[in-house]
Structures are given as structure tokens and as C-alpha cells.
Amino acid sequence: AQTVTQSQPEMSVQEAETVTLSCTYDTSESDYYLFWYKQPPSRQMILVIRQEAYKQQNATENRFSVNFQKAAKSFSLKISDSQLGDAAMYFCAYRRQGGSEKLVFGKGMKLTVNP
Amino acid sequence: DADVTQTPRNRITKTGKRIMLECSQTKGHDRMYWYRQDPGLGLRLIYYSFDVKDINKGEISDGYSVSRQAQAKFSLSLESAIPNQIALYFCATSDSGRGYNEQFFGPGTRLTVL
């Protein structure tokens, strides 16, 4: 079974600084997708960024970028120029290609942004 | 207007009662999912449906049932609510026509069982 591990339950960062959130996963599949979701206090799940496993290039969305290391099964999220609105729970998620296509989530990490 | 809506947003019920949580979407997606979020455990899949006639159990389906009344509507029922079903429930949708099948989540329903 696939598993997703977020080993750091909480992190903090100063406004305008850069922070990296770590995620590792375990799978025997070769074709899959990885996602980072943000959950602010409103509890809405918001997709931040996604990565297709077959792509070697790391995904980037504005201030958010990932470091995808397929061999190491590592998928970290870097937030640059942190803003107060980035404060939230962040969840790493995995989805295999085919089957139920369910998302397998990590336990989440709480990010605090200090002014 | 929200693309994926859930009603109610909050629900308080008593042990043993049957309740229904509803999800509707205007995105035109064919796939719908119900997840449960417990503190410290992330989200886990309860049921999923690839179309109106295709409903499947997820990893934690015991104590739950679902109904796909139309492509746009997917309801989750708790046959006899118990306190360990206290959680945040999310509905999600995706479009099978898109390669990465991004899932879009509703705002969640917080369930309390007394």
C-alpha cells in the first residue's frame, strides 16, 4: 500500500523568508502524481501544486516550487517570500495512475508565518 | 458561486441517529469522492463513484453508505451515528477527461455525535 509521510508536524517562518516543507512517500508504482494541498482555517482544501512522476522538471507555481526526487521518493515544497496568508495546514498527497485514483494524504504540517 | 457545495456545513446529531450529508457540483465532473478528515490523520477515502452506476468502497467504508442520485449529486449516509465518526467530511470531484484528474474539494461538513 502506498504511504505518505510528513515528518514535521509544525514549522514557522518569518514573513518574506523562504521555507521548505518535506514529504516522502512509498510506492511500487512508476506512474503517479504528487500534490501539495493547503488547508487554511476556513478548512477549504486548496491545491497548491502538482507534479507528474514522469516529468523530470520540477513544478513551479509563482512563489511555490517543488523538489521532486523520484529515486529517493521525496517531494518537498518550497515557499518563497512567505506571506501571512500562507499560514495553514499543508498536506502532501499521492495518487497512482488508474484504479480508484484516490488521494493518499500525509498527516499534514502546520505552517505559522510570523510578521 | 462555489463549484462544489456541501450541506450542511455543520451537523450535530445523537448516537444511533441516521443522517445524510449532501454534495452537489456544477463543474460537470463525472467522478465524485467522499473523504473523512480526523485530526492528525489527514484525509481518508470513504466511497467513490466514477459515474451514476459505478459506486465503490474506499478504505474506511464501514458504517457508511452512499447514493449517486445524478451526475451532480453524491450523498453520504451514516446509518447509525457513533462518536468515533466525529470528523470533518469532504466531498471532492474530478474529471476523467483530464490526464491528472485534479480533485476539487467542497468546503467540508463538520460532524459532531453526542
Side-chain angles (χ1 to χ4, degrees), chain B residues 21-84:
Chain B
L21 309 182
E22 298 185 341
C23 176
S24 61
Q25 51 113 349
T26 59
K27 301 184 77 66
H29 289 173
D30 53 337
R31 298 180 173 185
M32 298 187 75
Y33 309 79
W34 275 104
Y35 289 89
R36 165 178 171 163
Q37 183 181 21
D38 295 278
L41 290 180
L43 281 73
R44 293 178 292 167
L45 183 66
I46 305 172
Y47 269 95
Y48 64 101
S49 171
F50 280 0
D51 65 41
V52 175
K53 296 181 181 179
D54 181 10
I55 294 177
N56 303 278
K57 294 181 177 180
E59 59 184 299
I60 54 166
S61 60
D62 287 349
Y64 302 94
S65 63
V66 292
S67 173
R68 185 86 183 263
Q69 300 94 325
Q71 186 183 38
K73 295 185 182 295
F74 193 38
S75 300
L76 176 72
S77 294
L78 283 67
E79 300 303 321
S80 179
I82 55 177
N84 77 357

